[in-house]
Amino acid sequence: AQRVTQPEKLLSVFKGAPVELKCNYSYSGSPELFWYVQYSRQRLQLLLRHISRESIKGFTADLNKGETSFHLKKPFAQEEDSAMYYCALTFSGTYKYIFGTGTRLKVLA
Amino acid sequence: DAGVTQSPTHLIKTRGQQVTLRCSPKSGHDTVSWYQQALGQGPQFIFQYYEEEERQRGNFPDRFSGHQFPNYSSELNVNALLLGDSALYLCASSQAGTTTNEKLFFGSGTQLSVL
């Protein structure tokens, strides 16, 4: 069965430190991977998707099919990055997204 | 544009009752998906509606049903409520495309508590 694993429930880093939020997936075909973010008192929103190969708010994520990973990275964390981050998987032939359990990122001053 | 709107924001029901949640999609969107998010978990796909039909369903019992109206708004109905149905119910809208890579826009959710 398809699955998304985010091993860390909570990740605390200091402002200016590098950040890496881990995401591993289980799917044998060609996946489409996304990162969604939920800031405090806001709704869940798309941060980035692998197919766009873009950098949003300084965040990047590379799809590694060999390691079945899609880790989210930022070289220098900012306090405003504090939020809940969800990795999500979908694929051709389905309309559902499979979400991980999320990682809460806390950026400390 | 108000984006995706859901009502009510909070709801308290007792076991065995029935509940209806409502969702209006973002302007220009024609597809509505419903997700259940239990405490400490990620959203889980319930079903998706497009052209007033259920297009795909997740692993949820028949107690969960839905409807989409001609104006693309949608309802989620849950019958015979169980304690385990307590969760945040999220509505997400999108534009139907030729692939599944449709950007989802989420509402703020309806928090359902079953006592």
Side-chain angles (χ1 to χ4, degrees):
Chain A
Q2 303 87 21
R3 187 167 56 245
V4 173
T5 302
Q6 294 180 251
E8 303 137 330
K9 280 196 177 301
L10 173 65
L11 184 64
S12 296
V13 301
F14 284 101
K15 178 182 171 182
V19 172
E20 182 179 52
L21 300 172
K22 291 184 166 44
C23 171
N24 288 91
Y25 66 90
S26 172
Y27 178 64
S28 56
S30 292
E32 298 174 31
L33 275 299
F34 303 79
W35 277 99
Y36 278 80
V37 61
Q38 187 168 27
Y39 301 103
S40 179
R41 285 184 284 278
Q42 293 188 28
R43 58 190 66 190
L44 199 56
Q45 59 186 285
L46 178 67
L47 179 63
L48 56 78
R49 47 188 164 182
H50 92 272
I51 198 169
S52 303
R53 301 188 65 80
E54 57 199 347
S55 173
I56 303 292
K57 299 185 178 183
F59 283 98
T60 59
D62 290 318
L63 177 60
N64 185 325
K65 291 190 177 180
E67 295 183 359
T68 59
S69 68
F70 188 58
H71 302 328
L72 184 68
K73 299 176 184 178
K74 184 170 182 176
F76 307 104
Q78 303 299 314
E79 287 181 75
E80 55 265 29
D81 296 328
S82 294
M84 195 74 182
Y85 291 80
Y86 293 94
C87 182
L89 159 74
T90 190
F91 47 91
S92 180
T94 188
Y95 298 103
K96 70 178 177 183
Y97 282 62
I98 300 161
F99 285 83
T101 51
T103 297
R104 180 167 299 282
L105 175 64
K106 285 190 177 180
V107 181
L108 309 170
Chain B
D1 180 12
V4 180
T5 58
Q6 291 186 244
S7 63
T9 53
H10 295 85
L11 206 49
I12 299 175
K13 293 286 187 178
T14 56
R15 279 180 298 174
Q17 286 189 311
Q18 178 263 343
V19 68
T20 297
L21 311 182
R22 295 177 176 82
C23 171
S24 291
K26 180 178 168 62
S27 177
H29 285 184
D30 55 8
T31 303
V32 173
S33 302
W34 287 93
Y35 286 80
Q36 181 195 65
Q37 186 173 19
L39 195 62
Q41 301 297 314
Q44 269 202 300
F45 178 76
I46 302 175
F47 42 53
Q48 185 183 85
Y49 275 83
Y50 172 65
E51 292 187 339
E52 301 179 48
E53 299 269 340
E54 182 184 287
R55 183 153 75 165
Q56 186 175 359
R57 187 179 186 89
N59 294 328
F60 280 80
D62 292 343
R63 298 187 297 108
F64 289 77
S65 63
H67 189 77
Q68 186 179 34
F69 299 93
N71 67 352
Y72 308 120
S73 67
S74 176
E75 287 182 350
L76 164 64
N77 300 292
V78 187
N79 294 323
L81 284 167
L82 303 174
L83 296 179
D85 295 332
S86 295
L88 179 68
Y89 288 84
L90 294 169
C91 171
S93 74
S94 56
Q95 263 184 311
T98 55
T99 71
T100 57
N101 187 11
E102 306 160 5
K103 179 178 175 179
L104 295 180
F105 287 79
F106 283 89
S108 299
T110 293
Q111 184 66 53
L112 172 65
S113 298
V114 183
L115 306 179

